[in-house]
């Protein structure tokens, strides 16, 4: 798909445009013809830029097939894989070269970038007023050479016994350090702010980190305070310029803690003066220990190997090849400490694409998008939910004429999406949806949502208005962050697509919950080249998730839908039994209730001592405050959450959704409590990947839950 309509490829004339305009005028004027929408849709098809369409040889009715050729008839693979073996070796589509490690992949990606693009690699901005500046692949390689050589010169050894910490936000320095570790077969260990003090101490001690790359002065000071509990730590490499008011304090405390401080550029200079040859890794060598955020207990360190990442990036390359027709650009803003974002960026580096880093404030991401104009954007539901809400608010303020035009455009594009086509329309996309698409930079080809479920209603809407392929994926740290994805062009919603070409998926029985694979429901299990090597120094936890045949047990309950995609029902660990013996999947209920326009977040609670459930509801502040203004109520959210009439308004809307979704009596919540503050990473109610911390939520709202149960009893 090209990034803009080319008049030479669009077969239109001024008479066509006039006909379209006349048709739209009739619609806007409220023409009485009952089939006006069909007339306009037929006319508008003349304005489709055919050059932007992607063709896919997909059987949309049978998107997966039994994995017979892989020796597992009870498992399924993508129909695109067919009888081939699972992807495990990277292939350059421009020549016959192959790669089995990221090191080899990067060297090939460097050549591809020069063949299909401008050779640029990593991009950054100095400030909001400046454009993106770029390092080429050659400059990125040189920087990684210097960092790796500098580390060896100051005492770190090359090879698998050396662990390097990276405690920084997404940046050129982050990725250059990671590439340096790949060049020297070192293992890097990402750290991030929301881990908490206990988890950071645990990770540093377990991996015996001696060197950590770090950017924020406050994090430097926090580590210095913990020095007595992390004896292995010898030095910090500061990747950003420190403010003058904190530099003296940091240096003083570092001296007291007997900790060496190095500046990033000084380390590079040292490496430049004392060059060391590369020590390339082998396919089974670990390149990273990625600690899972987890909802309970200390994080576990997933060992990801070169074989894991190469299998995944090759699968992704083939999966998205019809879309990625040139040197593409990805916007980097999701935490690089997590495998989902990291796998996407490593994929880009193996296939010659460009990575542009945001300035660090996700609230101003639209500004970065417009400056970068990316073609690929990994996303999470929270961001897409906010985008949807903003669009709906804008639509609500449109006049009659513009709303009519929007509905007409939406209908026309809906028909295209349902026919598995995404294209740029010279009227709908260049006029009606232009503002939406410009907010994404104007060149977007693919948006991939992951980390948590996305509302089917929102996904369907975005597939139509974004002028790009919008797909939902699924994965875990233990499989490099991605194991299934919707095929570009799939018009369906409410599923996580099909297995990637590097893994197969099967359902396993969960007898104590009466879920059986023969009934097409069970625990989702994954096997393939992207499945991790195990948890670092924790064989017991490894055996809990990987069985004797090498299947990763995800803990998610799933089912295959009739067209071959897989659908998540709930988390196995989150199922609970009510007093009458009925099992409930709370996340399934939450996905129903969050469809209410008044609900931003919801937590459904139940236990085996009660015969019913209750819920904590965080109202959508924009919607609720708008309602309050229309009813001449106070516009203080805290006060609104205390009002009985507001509670009844929201509860009634939730009850309506219960009817629409045909919830059984025991599934319906019997009471709700309105809470004005969003669940977040900062208040420890969400994991860094935006999943609900159910034990923490239960503890946090213990008094409110107990009061609701007392009131109902």
């Amino acid at each position: 798909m090209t990034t803009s309509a080319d008049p030479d490829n669009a077969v239109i004339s001024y008479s066509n445009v006039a006909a379209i305009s006349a048709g739209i005028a009739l619609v806007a004027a409220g023409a009485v013809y009952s089939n006006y929408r069909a007339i306009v849709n037929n006319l508008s098809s003349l304005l489709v830029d055919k050059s932007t369409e992607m063709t896919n040889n997909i059987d949309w009715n049978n998107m997966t097939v039994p994995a017979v050729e892989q020796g597992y008839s009870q498992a399924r693979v993508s129909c695109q894989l067919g009888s081939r073996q699972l992807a495990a070796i990277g292939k350059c589509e421009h020549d016959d070269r192959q790669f089995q490690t990221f090191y080899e992949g990067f060297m090939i990606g460097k050549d591809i970038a020069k063949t299909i693009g401008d050779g640029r690699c990593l991009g950054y901005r100095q400030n909001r007023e400046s454009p993106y500046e770029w390092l080429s692949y050659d400059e990125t390689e040189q920087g990684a050479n210097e960092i790796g050589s500098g580390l060896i010169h100051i005492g770190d050894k090359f090879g698998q016994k050396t662990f390097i910490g990276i405690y920084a936000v997404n940046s050129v320095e982050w990725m250059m350090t990671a590439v340096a570790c790949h060049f020297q077969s070192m293992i890097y260990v990402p750290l991030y702010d929301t881990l908490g003090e206990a988890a950071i101490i645990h990770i540093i001690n377990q991996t015996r980190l001696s060197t950590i790359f770090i950017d924020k002065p406050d994090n430097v000071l926090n580590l210095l305070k913990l020095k007595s509990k992390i004896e292995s730590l010898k030095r910090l490499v500061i990747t950003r310029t420190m403010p003058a008011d904190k530099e003296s304090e940091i240096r003083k405390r570092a001296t007291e803690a007997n900790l060496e401080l190095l500046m990033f550029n000084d380390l590079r200079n040292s490496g430049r003066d004392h060059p060391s040859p590369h020590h390339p890794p082998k396919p089974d060598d670990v390149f990273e220990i990625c600690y899972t955020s987890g909802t309970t207990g200390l994080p576990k360190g997933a060992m990801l190997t070169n074989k894991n990442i190469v299998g995944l990036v090759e699968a992704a390359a083939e999966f998205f090849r019809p879309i990625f027709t040139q040197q593409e650009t990805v916007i980097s803003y999701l935490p690089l400490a997590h495998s989902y974002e990291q796998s996407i960026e490593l994929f880009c580096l193996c296939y010659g694409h460009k990575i542009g880093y945001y300035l660090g404030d996700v609230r101003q991401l639209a500004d970065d998008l417009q400056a970068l104009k990316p073609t690929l954007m990994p996303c999470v539901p929270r961001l897409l939910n906010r985008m949807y809400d903003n669009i709906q608010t804008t639509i609500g303020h449109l006049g009659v004429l513009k709303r009519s035009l929007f509905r007409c455009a939406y209908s026309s594009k809906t028909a295209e999406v349902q026919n598995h086509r995404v294209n740029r329309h010279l009227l709908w996309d260049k006029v009606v949806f232009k503002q939406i698409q410009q907010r994404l930079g104007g060149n977007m080809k693919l948006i991939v949502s992951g980390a948590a479920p996305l509302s089917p209603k929102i996904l369907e809407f975005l597939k139509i208005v974004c002028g790009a392929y919008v797909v939902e994926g699924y994965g875990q740290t233990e499989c490099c962050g991605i194991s299934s994805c919707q095929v570009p062009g799939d018009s369906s919603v409410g599923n996580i697509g099909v297995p990637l070409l590097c893994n197969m998926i099967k359902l396993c029985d969960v007898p104590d919950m009466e879920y059986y694979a023969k009934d097409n429901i069970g625990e989702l299990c994954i096997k393939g080249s992207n499945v991790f090597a195990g948890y670092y120094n924790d064989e017991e936890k490894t055996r809990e998730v990987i069985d004797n045949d090498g299947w990763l047990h995800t803990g998610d309950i799933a089912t295959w839908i009739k067209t071959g995609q897989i659908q998540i029902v709930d988390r196995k660990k989150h199922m609970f039994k009510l007093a009458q013996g009925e099992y409930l999947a709370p996340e399934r209920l939450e996905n129903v209730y969050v469809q209410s326009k008044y609900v931003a977040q919801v937590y459904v609670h139940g236990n085996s001592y009660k015969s019913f459930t209750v819920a904590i509801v965080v109202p959508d502040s924009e919607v609720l405050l708008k309602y309050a203004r229309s009813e001449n109520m106070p516009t203080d959210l805290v006060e609104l959450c205390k009002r009985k009439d507001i509670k009844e308004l929201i509860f009634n809307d939730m009850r309506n959704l219960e009817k629409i979704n045909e919830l059984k009596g025991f599934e319906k919540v019997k009471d709700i409590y309105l809470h004005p503050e969003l669940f977040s990473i900062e208040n420890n109610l969400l994991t860094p990947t935006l999943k609900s911390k159910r034990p923490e939520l239960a503890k946090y709202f213990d008094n409110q839950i107990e009061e609701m149960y007392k009131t109902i009893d």
Side-chain angles (χ1 to χ4, degrees):
M1 185 172 75
T2 60
T3 58
S4 61
D6 182 352
D8 292 333
N9 292 319
V11 184
I12 64 171
S13 67
Y14 288 109
S15 59
N16 293 143
V17 175
I20 299 297
S21 301
I24 292 170
L26 287 172
V27 174
V32 296
Y33 299 104
S34 60
N35 63 342
Y36 74 86
R37 201 175 292 277
I39 293 171
V40 173
N41 286 345
N42 288 336
L43 290 170
S44 73
S45 66
L46 298 171
L47 288 173
V48 170
D49 179 0
K50 298 296 184 182
S51 70
T52 65
E53 291 192 6
M54 183 192 81
T55 56
N56 242 334
N57 296 319
I58 299 293
D59 182 350
W60 298 108
N61 294 314
N62 297 285
M63 297 178 67
T64 53
V65 295
V68 177
E69 297 297 328
Q70 289 74 27
Y72 293 93
S73 58
Q74 77 277 28
R76 299 187 74 81
V77 295
S78 167
C79 67
Q80 291 173 286
L81 183 71
S83 60
R84 292 179 292 156
Q85 293 301 305
L86 297 172
I89 297 176
K91 303 180 184 69
C92 175
E93 60 182 291
H94 300 280
D95 52 44
D96 295 329
R97 286 181 294 174
Q98 297 182 342
F99 58 95
Q100 298 185 67
T101 65
F102 173 79
Y103 174 84
E104 296 169 344
F106 178 84
M107 297 305 176
I108 291 175
K110 180 179 66 171
D111 294 340
I112 294 175
K114 297 173 184 176
T115 302
I116 66 172
D118 53 22
R120 293 176 176 180
C121 183
L122 305 180
Y124 62 97
R125 300 173 77 189
Q126 300 285 358
N127 51 55
R128 292 279 161 216
E129 287 67 46
S130 66
Y132 270 85
E133 300 176 44
W134 291 91
L135 297 181
S136 68
Y137 270 79
D138 286 335
E139 289 169 327
T140 301
E141 179 185 9
Q142 179 61 29
N145 288 340
E146 293 168 359
I147 295 166
S149 297
L151 287 172
I152 291 173
H153 178 67
I154 62 176
D156 285 312
K157 308 286 187 185
F158 67 84
Q160 293 280 284
K161 292 184 178 180
T162 295
F163 300 84
I164 302 295
I166 306 178
Y167 192 0
V169 297
N170 300 22
S171 61
V172 168
E173 292 82 6
W174 201 111
M175 185 51 69
M176 197 179 284
T177 301
V179 175
C181 291
H182 281 284
F183 284 3
Q184 299 297 340
S185 296
M186 297 172 177
I187 300 169
Y188 55 90
V189 182
L191 301 165
Y192 44 97
D193 292 350
T194 54
L195 277 168
E197 183 177 299
I200 286 178
I201 292 171
H202 165 71
I203 292 170
I204 294 175
N205 285 337
Q206 189 177 60
T207 57
R208 298 204 55 77
L209 291 178
S210 61
T211 301
I212 296 177
F213 288 74
I214 190 166
D215 58 355
K216 296 179 183 178
D218 287 344
N219 288 340
V220 175
L221 291 170
N222 288 337
L223 280 186
L224 290 172
K225 285 192 296 186
L226 300 176
K227 179 61 176 68
S228 62
K229 300 178 182 179
I230 44 179
E231 295 180 2
S232 64
L233 191 60
K234 295 179 180 178
R235 66 188 67 87
L236 299 177
V237 179
I238 313 297
T239 62
R240 299 276 177 93
T241 302
M242 289 189 290
D245 61 332
K246 289 195 175 181
E247 183 173 358
S248 59
E249 181 185 1
I250 287 172
R251 292 195 178 279
K252 178 176 178 293
R253 290 197 185 182
T255 301
E256 292 170 351
N258 195 28
L259 198 66
E260 181 183 5
L261 287 182
L262 282 171
M263 300 307 294
F264 188 79
N265 285 335
D266 291 339
L267 179 68
R268 287 190 60 175
N269 291 336
S270 174
R272 190 180 304 123
D273 294 338
H274 303 87
S276 175
H278 291 175
H279 296 87
K282 299 183 288 295
D284 288 326
D285 281 353
V286 174
F287 72 88
E288 170 190 28
I289 296 183
C290 190
Y291 278 82
T292 61
S293 51
T295 56
T296 59
L298 291 171
K300 304 181 293 290
M303 296 186 290
L304 302 178
T305 68
N306 277 267
K307 179 182 177 181
N308 294 153
I309 196 63
V310 167
L312 178 60
V313 300
E314 172 56 26
E318 184 171 349
F319 201 77
F320 296 119
R321 188 161 288 148
I323 297 178
F324 296 155
T325 56
Q326 56 194 43
Q327 188 182 30
E328 310 297 346
T329 305
V330 64
I331 176 76
S332 172
Y333 69 98
L334 296 179
L336 257 172
H338 302 307
S339 57
Y340 170 47
E341 173 69 22
Q342 200 177 133
S343 291
I344 290 172
E345 295 194 27
L346 294 180
F347 154 76
C348 287
L349 294 178
C350 287
Y351 290 94
H353 301 308
K354 298 185 283 190
I355 303 167
Y357 294 98
Y358 81 133
L359 268 174
D361 186 351
V362 74
R363 294 170 299 181
Q364 298 191 59
L365 185 62
D367 179 67
D368 294 310
L369 287 167
Q370 290 172 60
L372 182 64
K373 303 187 185 309
T375 54
L376 167 61
M377 181 178 181
C379 242
V380 292
R382 184 167 66 169
L383 188 71
L384 295 175
N385 292 344
R386 181 54 56 195
M387 176 180 169
Y388 172 81
D389 291 342
N390 290 338
I391 295 171
Q392 291 299 322
T393 299
T394 302
I395 293 170
H397 293 151
L398 295 177
V400 175
L401 175 62
K402 290 183 178 179
R403 275 204 307 273
S404 179
L405 188 59
F406 186 93
R407 286 195 297 269
C408 191
Y410 191 86
S411 173
S412 177
K413 294 287 288 190
T414 298
E416 292 293 310
V417 170
Q418 289 174 344
N419 285 316
H420 313 293
R421 295 193 298 267
V422 171
N423 47 44
R424 294 291 172 89
H425 191 282
L426 298 185
L427 178 62
W428 306 141
D429 292 296
K430 291 297 181 182
V431 178
V432 182
F433 300 139
K434 180 180 179 180
Q435 186 177 357
I436 296 171
Q437 294 171 17
Q438 286 299 318
R439 292 281 289 178
L440 296 169
N443 287 345
M444 196 64 67
K445 292 183 178 183
L446 176 67
I447 298 172
V448 183
S449 177
L454 178 62
S455 163
K457 176 180 69 175
I458 293 175
L459 178 58
E460 183 176 42
F461 180 84
L462 296 176
K463 282 176 183 280
I464 293 164
V465 304
C466 287
Y469 290 94
V470 184
V471 298
E472 188 167 10
Y474 167 86
Q476 297 183 328
T477 301
E478 291 82 356
C479 54
C480 286
I482 312 172
S483 59
S484 73
C485 189
Q486 291 179 326
V487 176
D490 185 355
S491 60
S492 68
V493 295
N495 64 77
I496 55 168
V498 302
L500 288 185
L501 307 184
C502 56
N503 61 252
M504 49 190 161
I505 290 176
K506 72 173 181 177
L507 304 179
C508 287
D509 295 343
V510 187
D512 57 340
M513 295 180 180
E514 299 183 356
Y515 285 156
Y516 297 99
K518 65 181 178 60
D519 299 323
N520 189 31
I521 188 168
E523 183 179 10
L524 189 157
C525 297
I526 303 165
K527 187 172 185 178
S529 57
N530 57 332
V531 173
F532 78 142
Y535 296 119
Y536 183 64
N537 282 352
D538 201 334
E539 291 186 10
E540 182 181 349
K541 288 287 196 304
T542 300
R543 287 195 297 270
E544 288 177 6
V545 297
I546 298 183
D547 63 26
N548 293 334
D549 292 326
W551 287 92
L552 170 65
H553 289 247
T554 66
D556 283 313
I557 304 299
T559 184
W560 295 100
I561 62 177
K562 63 180 182 179
T563 47
Q565 302 96 316
I566 197 158
Q567 185 177 60
I568 299 293
V569 177
D570 198 76
R571 281 291 291 168
K572 176 181 172 182
K573 293 179 181 178
H574 295 161
M575 298 285 287
F576 54 76
K577 185 191 289 187
L578 295 177
Q580 67 270 44
E582 299 283 1
Y583 278 100
L584 272 185
E587 288 182 352
R588 185 177 73 85
L589 303 180
E590 289 160 3
N591 286 336
V592 169
Y593 291 129
V594 82
Q595 294 175 41
S596 168
K597 65 180 180 180
Y598 298 109
V599 176
Q601 294 172 322
V602 60
Y603 162 64
V604 173
H605 180 89
N607 62 57
S608 59
Y609 299 104
K610 303 291 181 180
S611 59
F612 55 88
T613 61
V614 294
I616 306 296
V617 173
V618 179
D620 186 303
S621 59
E622 289 186 14
V623 175
L624 189 56
L625 292 177
K626 181 181 178 182
Y627 173 82
R629 284 190 290 269
S630 70
E631 298 293 321
N632 295 318
M633 294 179 179
T635 54
D636 183 288
L637 190 60
V638 174
E639 292 303 315
L640 287 172
C641 286
K642 296 176 181 177
R643 293 177 63 114
K644 290 184 179 180
D645 53 349
I646 293 296
K647 175 180 174 179
E648 196 60 27
L649 170 76
I650 296 174
F651 206 180
N652 283 338
D653 200 53
M654 293 170 63
R655 289 179 180 128
N656 186 49
L657 287 166
E658 292 173 347
K659 294 176 185 176
I660 294 172
N661 289 274
E662 300 179 346
L663 296 190
K664 299 179 178 67
F666 66 87
E667 293 178 309
K668 300 173 183 177
V669 299
K670 294 296 186 288
D671 198 5
I672 64 172
Y673 172 81
L674 301 185
H675 182 65
E677 182 186 356
L678 285 168
F679 311 152
S680 67
I681 298 169
E682 291 71 26
N683 59 28
N684 200 35
L685 298 179
L686 294 182
T687 71
T689 52
L690 307 181
K691 296 180 178 68
S692 294
K693 286 189 168 184
R694 306 193 76 84
E696 296 297 331
L697 283 161
K699 188 185 304 180
Y700 189 90
F701 293 106
D702 181 60
N703 291 337
Q704 292 86 349
I705 290 168
E706 186 177 351
E707 187 61 33
M708 283 190 283
Y709 276 131
K710 281 181 181 178
T711 302
I712 299 170
D713 287 341

